Amino acid sequence: MDFSQLLAEKTDIILDKWILAVRKDRRIESADDLSYTAVKDHIPDVLKAMVTVLSKSQDNDIQSMVNASFQHGAIRAEQGFDPAEIAREYHLLRTVIFDALQADLLEGTPVEIIRSMRLIDAIVDEAIARCFKSYVEERLRELKQLQLSLTLHNEELTRLISANQEYLSQLAHELKHPLTSIIGYSDLFLRQQRRKTEIKDNYTNLEHIERVLRNGRQLLHLINDVLELSRYEAGQIKIQLAPTDVCELIDNVCEMLEPLAAGKNLQIVVDCDGLSATRYANANAKGERTPEKPLTDSFQLQQIVTNLISNAIRYTESGTVIIMCQVLENQRWAISVSDTGVGIAPEDQAQIFEPYFRVSSSDRPYLPDSTGLGLAIVSRLVKLLRGEINLVSQIGVGSTFTAIFPLEVEF
């Protein structure tokens, strides 16, 4: 029986069933937001290789395995997949293929069945090996870029610390743990690579790389926040004023942070009606000269909005994050970010905008990805844009941060 022809005829069906299985599998969350084409990637080439190999007479002939599988790993790395997700999607592929061919295989002779099953398994294993190889190389490339970026930031950080020792001890404490993890796992990975471990050990190596990258990103985030705060204190932030579409800016930030909210099943609600043309018309009817759009620095405003929304998501486990804008009297406008999170105690609210201050309690310690600098940066940028920020919060109910700005920032 020609199983290669049967597989060729069922390729499209296998592909559709496999993509459906990937989307339904909760252990492959990285595929949730990908298009049909992005999920499919190079899998059709793997199936074509199976058709080719099944048509040959040599059981061990897998030389026609396509190089596209090598690229599959690099693409999955760029898409944010972790090693377990990649292994899972190949497991599903193997399952779907055998389910589709089961009835036909049972009609063949024992020799034909064994030969076909061995060849299919061999091709999937070869695809996995090539995929993981390119995945590792892509992660190593990212690691090198991260290392270079950390080196440059570290030089700048050293220069700033030498001029200002006020937060040196706190900064050293924050940098200690992720930096130790990066050094430890990097050393472990390099030692394992020198021993030329077998393919079966690749998964463990990938886990080490993921830990290095995760801690490296956390460290880089902390360093970036410190540098931003230091630039403000040194008066090095340059303001560039321009009419700004605040609603579009908020939508862009929300789109960027949507995966973070989706990971916690949080709903983000945006209400920009308060900045609509009607509200401006009402203001003009009162004899006020109102610009069509707020005149401000869009980059600094985006940083403020990003920090406020990401902070709301970080401290909210369930419910909603609401962003609201409105035009106020006296040529002012406001943006508020409300959440249904843990809330902030009255005794902590006075310090919430201080650098390195983080709210914690016996039953709720510091969050691991919190630097204690986000709100400090927000308050300083709001002040830089001639605005003010206030907080209304209640433990167990949530918090609302409201930033008020002039419609036209003047210097």
Side-chain angles (χ1 to χ4, degrees):
M1 183 175 292
D2 188 357
F3 291 113
S4 65
Q5 182 62 33
L6 291 172
L7 180 60
E9 294 173 355
K10 295 185 177 183
T11 294
D12 292 337
I13 296 176
I14 291 173
L15 192 58
D16 289 339
K17 289 185 176 181
W18 174 75
I19 292 178
L20 181 61
V22 169
R23 290 197 181 282
K24 287 184 176 181
D25 197 311
R26 290 298 86 204
R27 283 175 282 184
I28 312 180
E29 296 181 354
S30 297
D32 290 349
D33 297 325
L34 297 181
S35 66
Y36 180 95
T37 302
V39 175
K40 179 178 66 175
D41 190 35
H42 290 95
I43 297 302
D45 295 316
V46 177
L47 295 176
K48 289 179 181 178
M50 289 183 187
V51 172
T52 302
V53 173
L54 285 174
S55 66
K56 296 180 179 292
S57 59
Q58 296 297 321
D59 289 354
N60 61 351
D61 182 8
I62 57 172
Q63 294 303 313
S64 62
M65 176 62 210
V66 292
N67 289 327
S69 298
F70 186 81
Q71 297 299 323
H72 183 74
I75 292 174
R76 286 298 189 247
E78 294 174 0
Q79 292 169 338
F81 279 63
D82 61 40
E85 290 177 316
I86 296 176
R88 182 64 182 170
E89 68 173 359
Y90 273 108
H91 167 76
L92 292 176
L93 178 62
R94 196 192 309 262
T95 301
V96 170
I97 290 173
F98 283 126
D99 286 346
L101 297 179
Q102 179 177 344
D104 299 307
L105 286 171
L106 293 176
E107 295 180 3
T109 65
V111 173
E112 290 176 329
I113 294 174
I114 293 174
R115 174 183 177 275
S116 298
M117 292 183 67
R118 284 179 175 175
L119 287 176
I120 292 173
D121 278 333
I123 291 177
V124 173
D125 289 341
E126 177 72 8
I128 293 173
R130 296 191 183 207
C131 180
F132 276 132
K133 186 176 187 298
S134 63
Y135 184 93
V136 171
E137 292 181 356
E138 177 64 21
R139 284 300 189 221
L140 287 175
R141 185 189 64 80
E142 183 182 352
L143 184 60
K144 290 179 181 178
Q145 292 179 340
L146 183 62
Q147 182 184 25
L148 176 60
S149 181
L150 285 172
T151 300
L152 295 175
H153 280 79
N154 186 57
E155 293 175 354
E156 176 69 6
L157 190 62
T158 300
R159 184 187 66 80
L160 291 170
I161 289 177
S162 64
N164 184 356
Q165 298 290 324
E166 184 177 358
Y167 299 117
L168 179 58
S169 60
Q170 293 172 299
L171 180 61
H173 177 74
E174 296 292 343
L175 294 178
K176 178 181 177 180
H177 296 294
L179 188 57
T180 301
S181 179
I182 289 175
I183 294 173
Y185 280 111
S186 295
D187 180 67
L188 178 60
F189 173 73
L190 291 175
R191 283 189 283 111
Q192 287 183 333
Q193 290 299 102
R194 290 191 188 103
R195 291 201 301 267
K196 297 182 179 179
T197 54
E198 299 296 330
I199 292 178
K200 64 180 181 180
D201 294 325
N202 279 349
Y203 184 81
T204 302
N205 291 339
L206 290 173
E207 288 183 326
H208 296 329
I209 295 176
E210 293 297 330
R211 289 191 181 99
V212 170
L213 292 174
R214 183 166 56 251
N215 284 280
R217 294 186 189 105
Q218 180 183 344
L219 179 58
L220 186 58
H221 176 62
L222 172 60
I223 292 175
N224 283 333
D225 282 351
V226 171
L227 293 176
E228 181 68 21
L229 190 63
S230 299
R231 281 192 288 266
Y232 174 86
E233 300 293 352
Q236 296 178 351
I237 298 180
K238 304 299 182 182
I239 297 298
Q240 297 182 350
L241 301 178
T244 301
D245 189 335
V246 176
C247 297
E248 182 180 4
L249 183 149
I250 293 174
D251 287 339
N252 292 336
V253 172
C254 289
E255 182 178 352
M256 177 180 63
L257 297 177
E258 176 59 30
L260 185 63
K264 303 176 75 173
N265 293 320
L266 300 178
Q267 182 181 9
I268 298 181
V269 178
V270 179
D271 182 3
C272 276
D273 290 344
L275 282 178
S276 65
T278 302
R279 296 299 177 93
Y280 280 101
N282 292 338
N284 288 327
K286 297 177 182 178
E288 300 175 357
R289 187 185 62 83
T290 305
E292 292 183 2
K293 298 178 181 178
L295 184 66
T296 186
D297 186 312
S298 60
F299 180 78
Q300 308 304 335
L301 180 62
Q302 179 174 310
Q303 284 192 285
I304 293 171
V305 174
T306 300
N307 279 354
L308 287 177
I309 297 178
S310 61
N311 199 66
I313 295 174
R314 183 180 294 114
Y315 288 95
T316 303
E317 294 304 320
S318 63
T320 308
V321 174
I322 301 175
I323 303 99
M324 181 177 295
C325 296
Q326 60 181 324
V327 174
L328 306 177
E329 297 180 350
N330 301 321
Q331 295 291 295
R332 300 180 303 162
W333 70 279
I335 176 173
S336 64
V337 178
S338 304
D339 62 59
T340 54
V342 295
I344 303 170
E347 62 270 19
D348 292 328
Q349 293 181 21
Q351 305 177 67
I352 198 66
F353 296 109
E354 294 299 319
Y356 304 102
F357 179 80
R358 293 180 293 180
V359 177
S360 67
S361 62
S362 58
D363 59 341
R364 182 170 54 82
Y366 297 144
L367 294 181
D369 60 342
S370 173
T371 64
L373 293 174
L375 291 177
I377 292 174
V378 166
S379 67
R380 284 155 176 76
L381 292 181
V382 168
K383 183 178 179 181
L384 191 65
L385 296 180
R386 301 296 190 261
E388 60 184 72
I389 187 168
N390 56 65
L391 165 66
V392 176
S393 185
Q394 183 177 346
I395 292 292
V397 177
S399 304
T400 298
F401 288 87
T402 302
I404 302 174
F405 302 95
L407 285 172
E408 291 184 275
V409 176
E410 298 179 355
F411 289 91

